[in-house]
Amino acid sequence: MALSVATLAKPWVGERAKLDAVRSAARVADLLVATVDGGVQELYINERRIEFEARALLATIARYRKQTDQWLAATNAINSVLKEIGDFENWMKIMDFDCKSINAAIRNIHQS
């Protein structure tokens, strides 16, 4: 059986098609991996941003908590002072009443 050029060329054409198919498959695989990696990289960047924002938010909350505690302490001090003023005012009213009663008693004694 004699081999012609056409017969010899056919297997080589098949090998070439196989190599092209393998190269194309490898390129598709690389593109898929690059696409997935790009998505993973974007997710990682977003996760880092969220973590950074969460830390900043926690620091802000801690600062506001401290400020609120200071305001609460100041408010309690003011309430305490107002209560003392009210107690003093009540004491003054009692003293005024007692002084008027004593004054009236002394006048009664003096007039008798």
Side-chain angles (χ1 to χ4, degrees), residues 7-26:
T7 307
L8 289 175
K10 285 183 183 180
W12 191 73
V13 171
E15 287 296 320
R16 182 173 179 177
K18 192 186 292 185
L19 286 174
D20 286 344
V22 168
R23 284 187 196 127
S24 294

PDB file of all heavy atoms in Angstrom, residues 7-26:
ATOM      1  N   THR A   7      -2.731  11.228   2.523  1.00  0.00           N
ATOM      2  CA  THR A   7      -2.902  10.287   3.625  1.00  0.00           C
ATOM      3  C   THR A   7      -2.023  10.685   4.794  1.00  0.00           C
ATOM      4  O   THR A   7      -2.423  10.595   5.959  1.00  0.00           O
ATOM      5  CB  THR A   7      -2.566   8.856   3.162  1.00  0.00           C
ATOM      6  OG1 THR A   7      -3.308   8.556   2.003  1.00  0.00           O
ATOM      7  CG2 THR A   7      -2.852   7.861   4.237  1.00  0.00           C
ATOM      8  N   LEU A   8      -0.808  11.129   4.495  1.00  0.00           N
ATOM      9  CA  LEU A   8       0.097  11.540   5.561  1.00  0.00           C
ATOM     10  C   LEU A   8      -0.358  12.860   6.212  1.00  0.00           C
ATOM     11  O   LEU A   8      -0.137  13.089   7.393  1.00  0.00           O
ATOM     12  CB  LEU A   8       1.520  11.707   5.011  1.00  0.00           C
ATOM     13  CG  LEU A   8       2.225  10.413   4.635  1.00  0.00           C
ATOM     14  CD1 LEU A   8       3.561  10.745   3.994  1.00  0.00           C
ATOM     15  CD2 LEU A   8       2.425   9.524   5.832  1.00  0.00           C
ATOM     16  N   ALA A   9      -0.995  13.709   5.459  1.00  0.00           N
ATOM     17  CA  ALA A   9      -1.412  15.008   5.969  1.00  0.00           C
ATOM     18  C   ALA A   9      -2.605  14.894   6.895  1.00  0.00           C
ATOM     19  O   ALA A   9      -2.754  15.690   7.812  1.00  0.00           O
ATOM     20  CB  ALA A   9      -1.737  15.943   4.815  1.00  0.00           C
ATOM     21  N   LYS A  10      -3.462  13.898   6.707  1.00  0.00           N
ATOM     22  CA  LYS A  10      -4.675  13.775   7.523  1.00  0.00           C
ATOM     23  C   LYS A  10      -4.374  13.585   9.010  1.00  0.00           C
ATOM     24  O   LYS A  10      -4.963  14.263   9.840  1.00  0.00           O
ATOM     25  CB  LYS A  10      -5.554  12.654   6.980  1.00  0.00           C
ATOM     26  CG  LYS A  10      -6.267  13.037   5.733  1.00  0.00           C
ATOM     27  CD  LYS A  10      -7.174  11.930   5.292  1.00  0.00           C
ATOM     28  CE  LYS A  10      -7.832  12.311   3.965  1.00  0.00           C
ATOM     29  NZ  LYS A  10      -8.711  11.288   3.480  1.00  0.00           N
ATOM     30  N   PRO A  11      -3.487  12.681   9.389  1.00  0.00           N
ATOM     31  CA  PRO A  11      -3.231  12.558  10.817  1.00  0.00           C
ATOM     32  C   PRO A  11      -2.640  13.836  11.407  1.00  0.00           C
ATOM     33  O   PRO A  11      -2.938  14.208  12.543  1.00  0.00           O
ATOM     34  CB  PRO A  11      -2.246  11.414  10.933  1.00  0.00           C
ATOM     35  CG  PRO A  11      -2.365  10.658   9.678  1.00  0.00           C
ATOM     36  CD  PRO A  11      -2.816  11.644   8.639  1.00  0.00           C
ATOM     37  N   TRP A  12      -1.819  14.500  10.635  1.00  0.00           N
ATOM     38  CA  TRP A  12      -1.215  15.721  11.140  1.00  0.00           C
ATOM     39  C   TRP A  12      -2.272  16.797  11.315  1.00  0.00           C
ATOM     40  O   TRP A  12      -2.255  17.535  12.289  1.00  0.00           O
ATOM     41  CB  TRP A  12      -0.121  16.178  10.164  1.00  0.00           C
ATOM     42  CG  TRP A  12       0.711  17.271  10.728  1.00  0.00           C
ATOM     43  CD1 TRP A  12       1.643  17.165  11.692  1.00  0.00           C
ATOM     44  CD2 TRP A  12       0.648  18.646  10.377  1.00  0.00           C
ATOM     45  NE1 TRP A  12       2.194  18.367  11.981  1.00  0.00           N
ATOM     46  CE2 TRP A  12       1.578  19.327  11.171  1.00  0.00           C
ATOM     47  CE3 TRP A  12      -0.098  19.393   9.467  1.00  0.00           C
ATOM     48  CZ2 TRP A  12       1.794  20.684  11.084  1.00  0.00           C
ATOM     49  CZ3 TRP A  12       0.126  20.743   9.392  1.00  0.00           C
ATOM     50  CH2 TRP A  12       1.065  21.384  10.203  1.00  0.00           C
ATOM     51  N   VAL A  13      -3.243  16.861  10.435  1.00  0.00           N
ATOM     52  CA  VAL A  13      -4.348  17.812  10.546  1.00  0.00           C
ATOM     53  C   VAL A  13      -5.158  17.485  11.803  1.00  0.00           C
ATOM     54  O   VAL A  13      -5.555  18.372  12.557  1.00  0.00           O
ATOM     55  CB  VAL A  13      -5.231  17.780   9.278  1.00  0.00           C
ATOM     56  CG1 VAL A  13      -6.506  18.597   9.486  1.00  0.00           C
ATOM     57  CG2 VAL A  13      -4.466  18.303   8.084  1.00  0.00           C
ATOM     58  N   GLY A  14      -5.394  16.228  12.076  1.00  0.00           N
ATOM     59  CA  GLY A  14      -6.114  15.806  13.279  1.00  0.00           C
ATOM     60  C   GLY A  14      -5.354  16.164  14.545  1.00  0.00           C
ATOM     61  O   GLY A  14      -5.935  16.595  15.541  1.00  0.00           O
ATOM     62  N   GLU A  15      -4.035  15.992  14.525  1.00  0.00           N
ATOM     63  CA  GLU A  15      -3.201  16.347  15.683  1.00  0.00           C
ATOM     64  C   GLU A  15      -3.222  17.854  15.910  1.00  0.00           C
ATOM     65  O   GLU A  15      -3.276  18.319  17.037  1.00  0.00           O
ATOM     66  CB  GLU A  15      -1.758  15.870  15.460  1.00  0.00           C
ATOM     67  CG  GLU A  15      -1.570  14.380  15.569  1.00  0.00           C
ATOM     68  CD  GLU A  15      -1.862  13.865  16.959  1.00  0.00           C
ATOM     69  OE1 GLU A  15      -1.488  14.526  17.950  1.00  0.00           O
ATOM     70  OE2 GLU A  15      -2.504  12.812  17.069  1.00  0.00           O
ATOM     71  N   ARG A  16      -3.172  18.559  14.784  1.00  0.00           N
ATOM     72  CA  ARG A  16      -3.193  20.017  14.892  1.00  0.00           C
ATOM     73  C   ARG A  16      -4.535  20.482  15.476  1.00  0.00           C
ATOM     74  O   ARG A  16      -4.586  21.364  16.333  1.00  0.00           O
ATOM     75  CB  ARG A  16      -2.968  20.637  13.522  1.00  0.00           C
ATOM     76  CG  ARG A  16      -2.926  22.131  13.592  1.00  0.00           C
ATOM     77  CD  ARG A  16      -2.552  22.728  12.288  1.00  0.00           C
ATOM     78  NE  ARG A  16      -2.556  24.172  12.410  1.00  0.00           N
ATOM     79  CZ  ARG A  16      -2.228  24.990  11.476  1.00  0.00           C
ATOM     80  NH1 ARG A  16      -1.850  24.517  10.301  1.00  0.00           N
ATOM     81  NH2 ARG A  16      -2.263  26.270  11.659  1.00  0.00           N
ATOM     82  N   ALA A  17      -5.627  19.900  15.028  1.00  0.00           N
ATOM     83  CA  ALA A  17      -6.942  20.248  15.553  1.00  0.00           C
ATOM     84  C   ALA A  17      -7.024  19.907  17.042  1.00  0.00           C
ATOM     85  O   ALA A  17      -7.591  20.658  17.843  1.00  0.00           O
ATOM     86  CB  ALA A  17      -8.029  19.520  14.771  1.00  0.00           C
ATOM     87  N   LYS A  18      -6.424  18.767  17.403  1.00  0.00           N
ATOM     88  CA  LYS A  18      -6.411  18.363  18.811  1.00  0.00           C
ATOM     89  C   LYS A  18      -5.620  19.361  19.638  1.00  0.00           C
ATOM     90  O   LYS A  18      -6.048  19.770  20.731  1.00  0.00           O
ATOM     91  CB  LYS A  18      -5.804  16.965  18.932  1.00  0.00           C
ATOM     92  CG  LYS A  18      -6.015  16.342  20.296  1.00  0.00           C
ATOM     93  CD  LYS A  18      -5.283  15.028  20.451  1.00  0.00           C
ATOM     94  CE  LYS A  18      -5.852  13.958  19.571  1.00  0.00           C
ATOM     95  NZ  LYS A  18      -5.220  12.638  19.802  1.00  0.00           N
ATOM     96  N   LEU A  19      -4.462  19.799  19.143  1.00  0.00           N
ATOM     97  CA  LEU A  19      -3.646  20.785  19.858  1.00  0.00           C
ATOM     98  C   LEU A  19      -4.389  22.117  19.972  1.00  0.00           C
ATOM     99  O   LEU A  19      -4.354  22.764  21.016  1.00  0.00           O
ATOM    100  CB  LEU A  19      -2.311  20.988  19.142  1.00  0.00           C
ATOM    101  CG  LEU A  19      -1.293  19.861  19.289  1.00  0.00           C
ATOM    102  CD1 LEU A  19      -0.075  20.141  18.414  1.00  0.00           C
ATOM    103  CD2 LEU A  19      -0.870  19.726  20.741  1.00  0.00           C
ATOM    104  N   ASP A  20      -5.052  22.523  18.872  1.00  0.00           N
ATOM    105  CA  ASP A  20      -5.844  23.760  18.917  1.00  0.00           C
ATOM    106  C   ASP A  20      -6.973  23.648  19.943  1.00  0.00           C
ATOM    107  O   ASP A  20      -7.253  24.600  20.679  1.00  0.00           O
ATOM    108  CB  ASP A  20      -6.421  24.077  17.532  1.00  0.00           C
ATOM    109  CG  ASP A  20      -5.363  24.587  16.563  1.00  0.00           C
ATOM    110  OD1 ASP A  20      -4.270  24.978  17.045  1.00  0.00           O
ATOM    111  OD2 ASP A  20      -5.633  24.589  15.348  1.00  0.00           O
ATOM    112  N   ALA A  21      -7.606  22.486  19.992  1.00  0.00           N
ATOM    113  CA  ALA A  21      -8.692  22.279  20.953  1.00  0.00           C
ATOM    114  C   ALA A  21      -8.161  22.327  22.386  1.00  0.00           C
ATOM    115  O   ALA A  21      -8.780  22.924  23.269  1.00  0.00           O
ATOM    116  CB  ALA A  21      -9.388  20.948  20.683  1.00  0.00           C
ATOM    117  N   VAL A  22      -6.993  21.725  22.605  1.00  0.00           N
ATOM    118  CA  VAL A  22      -6.393  21.738  23.944  1.00  0.00           C
ATOM    119  C   VAL A  22      -6.011  23.169  24.323  1.00  0.00           C
ATOM    120  O   VAL A  22      -6.254  23.615  25.451  1.00  0.00           O
ATOM    121  CB  VAL A  22      -5.178  20.791  24.015  1.00  0.00           C
ATOM    122  CG1 VAL A  22      -4.382  21.003  25.289  1.00  0.00           C
ATOM    123  CG2 VAL A  22      -5.631  19.348  23.907  1.00  0.00           C
ATOM    124  N   ARG A  23      -5.428  23.908  23.381  1.00  0.00           N
ATOM    125  CA  ARG A  23      -5.058  25.308  23.648  1.00  0.00           C
ATOM    126  C   ARG A  23      -6.309  26.140  23.952  1.00  0.00           C
ATOM    127  O   ARG A  23      -6.318  26.957  24.868  1.00  0.00           O
ATOM    128  CB  ARG A  23      -4.312  25.889  22.452  1.00  0.00           C
ATOM    129  CG  ARG A  23      -2.896  25.425  22.357  1.00  0.00           C
ATOM    130  CD  ARG A  23      -2.167  26.169  21.240  1.00  0.00           C
ATOM    131  NE  ARG A  23      -0.940  25.464  20.922  1.00  0.00           N
ATOM    132  CZ  ARG A  23      -0.578  25.067  19.715  1.00  0.00           C
ATOM    133  NH1 ARG A  23      -1.338  25.343  18.669  1.00  0.00           N
ATOM    134  NH2 ARG A  23       0.549  24.438  19.528  1.00  0.00           N
ATOM    135  N   SER A  24      -7.354  25.943  23.174  1.00  0.00           N
ATOM    136  CA  SER A  24      -8.598  26.682  23.398  1.00  0.00           C
ATOM    137  C   SER A  24      -9.200  26.332  24.753  1.00  0.00           C
ATOM    138  O   SER A  24      -9.670  27.211  25.485  1.00  0.00           O
ATOM    139  CB  SER A  24      -9.613  26.368  22.292  1.00  0.00           C
ATOM    140  OG  SER A  24      -9.155  26.852  21.049  1.00  0.00           O
ATOM    141  N   ALA A  25      -9.188  25.051  25.090  1.00  0.00           N
ATOM    142  CA  ALA A  25      -9.714  24.626  26.391  1.00  0.00           C
ATOM    143  C   ALA A  25      -8.892  25.226  27.523  1.00  0.00           C
ATOM    144  O   ALA A  25      -9.433  25.674  28.539  1.00  0.00           O
ATOM    145  CB  ALA A  25      -9.746  23.105  26.484  1.00  0.00           C
ATOM    146  N   ALA A  26      -7.572  25.255  27.349  1.00  0.00           N
ATOM    147  CA  ALA A  26      -6.700  25.842  28.371  1.00  0.00           C
ATOM    148  C   ALA A  26      -6.980  27.332  28.500  1.00  0.00           C
ATOM    149  O   ALA A  26      -7.039  27.883  29.605  1.00  0.00           O
ATOM    150  CB  ALA A  26      -5.239  25.597  28.032  1.00  0.00           C
TER     151      ALA A  26
END
